[in-house]
Amino acid sequence: SQQGEEDPQALSIQEGENATMNCSYKTSINNLQWYRQNSGRGLVHLILIRSNEREKHSGRLRVTLDTSKKSSSLLITASRAADTASYFCATDALGAGNMLTFGGGTRLMVKP
Amino acid sequence: DTAVSQTPKYLVTQMGNDKSIKCEQNLGHDTMYWYKQDSKKFLKIMFSYNNKELIINETVPNRFSPKSPDKAHLNLHINSLELGDSAVYFCASSTGTKGTIYFGEGSWLTVV
């Protein structure tokens, strides 16, 4: 099974609302990353959080990491229609080099 | 000024054929990867190639072989294509084996 698993699998919200996506993983990690994928496109790196960090911000994005629970969350505040995409977490497990393991993604739809 | 570019973007081919997907990065990265994304959007690492060291995901059939003529290129060659090989293949690169990975736009392979 996937090292990282996102929850929910799909999320539909109105523009202006906040979107929260969660990721759980199984083994100890070096870092956890979040990526975004627009339909028919490649993945774009959003943010990386290291195992010794608990929270990180980048613009409207806020990522938290709880290594004791092996979970992370991605919060997008004041969502826009352009945020519609799939969001994936990826873990860099200890000893695995940079062989990222991805979850199945959360498909976010932001309605205008 | 595309960072990671892969060709072709779309490829339709018959079962049993041999095909290659090319990848080039102009970011000066020393590590390159191939990922496979299936119809359910799950992304799986196939190969990691760093300074002539090839790390292979053990689940990848040996019909798949990466070829790196130089640090900026990592091509994917697939022999005896099967229906189950239909997927989107993403090339990616990074500096070293830690940190942010940059993805190409994907190559959509359909085996008929």
Side-chain angles (χ1 to χ4, degrees):
Chain A
S1 62
Q2 298 291 314
Q3 158 77 330
E5 297 192 4
E6 284 90 342
D7 167 52
Q9 291 187 349
L11 180 61
S12 181
I13 59 174
Q14 293 294 136
E15 215 167 20
E17 294 180 340
N18 295 343
T20 300
M21 290 160 267
N22 302 298
C23 169
S24 60
Y25 57 92
K26 294 187 170 74
T27 62
S28 296
I29 59 172
N30 288 310
N31 64 61
L32 184 144
Q33 304 181 42
W34 284 90
Y35 286 80
R36 166 194 168 123
Q37 184 180 31
N38 284 23
S39 180
R41 305 295 300 273
L43 282 85
V44 175
H45 180 263
L46 293 176
I47 199 164
L48 179 153
I49 186 165
R50 302 194 187 284
S51 59
N52 61 353
E53 297 175 312
R54 291 296 165 258
E55 189 171 313
K56 210 160 182 181
H57 296 255
S58 176
R60 293 183 296 112
L61 305 181
R62 173 177 166 251
V63 168
T64 62
L65 178 64
D66 186 336
T67 52
S68 66
K69 295 180 180 177
K70 292 188 169 57
S71 68
S72 173
S73 67
L74 170 67
L75 168 67
I76 304 175
T77 59
S79 63
R80 304 167 183 167
D83 294 329
T84 295
S86 291
Y87 292 83
F88 294 86
C89 70
T91 50
D92 173 9
L94 286 175
N98 213 10
M99 303 272 281
L100 291 183
T101 303
F102 284 81
T106 293
R107 289 146 194 74
L108 173 67
M109 176 173 289
V110 181
K111 300 175 189 173
Chain B
D1 59 348
T2 304
V4 182
S5 58
Q6 47 185 115
T7 56
K9 187 170 177 72
Y10 300 102
L11 179 59
V12 180
T13 188
Q14 290 190 322
M15 271 196 315
N17 283 352
D18 302 338
K19 290 294 177 187
S20 292
I21 305 172
K22 295 184 177 180
C23 178
E24 175 182 5
Q25 53 92 7
N26 62 5
L27 296 167
H29 290 163
D30 58 5
T31 306
M32 296 184 73
Y33 314 84
W34 277 103
Y35 281 83
K36 176 181 178 181
Q37 186 173 41
D38 62 24
S39 58
K40 294 183 179 178
K41 304 296 183 187
F42 283 111
L43 268 157
K44 251 187 193 175
I45 179 75
M46 300 177 70
F47 305 101
S48 167
Y49 196 86
N50 170 262
N51 289 329
K52 299 187 180 179
E53 180 188 6
L54 177 65
I55 302 173
I56 303 171
N57 184 325
E58 61 189 15
T59 66
V60 175
N62 58 15
R63 297 181 294 104
F64 290 78
S65 56
K67 298 194 192 309
S68 180
D70 55 59
K71 218 169 68 166
H73 296 82
L74 184 67
N75 304 323
L76 181 66
H77 190 75
I78 316 169
N79 289 329
S80 303
L81 278 155
E82 300 177 357
L83 293 176
D85 297 333
S86 295
V88 185
Y89 293 85
F90 287 98
C91 178
S93 71
S94 67
T95 296
T97 55
K98 300 293 177 189
T100 302
I101 295 181
Y102 293 83
F103 284 81
E105 291 289 285
S107 294
W108 271 251
L109 172 66
T110 302
V111 182
V112 297

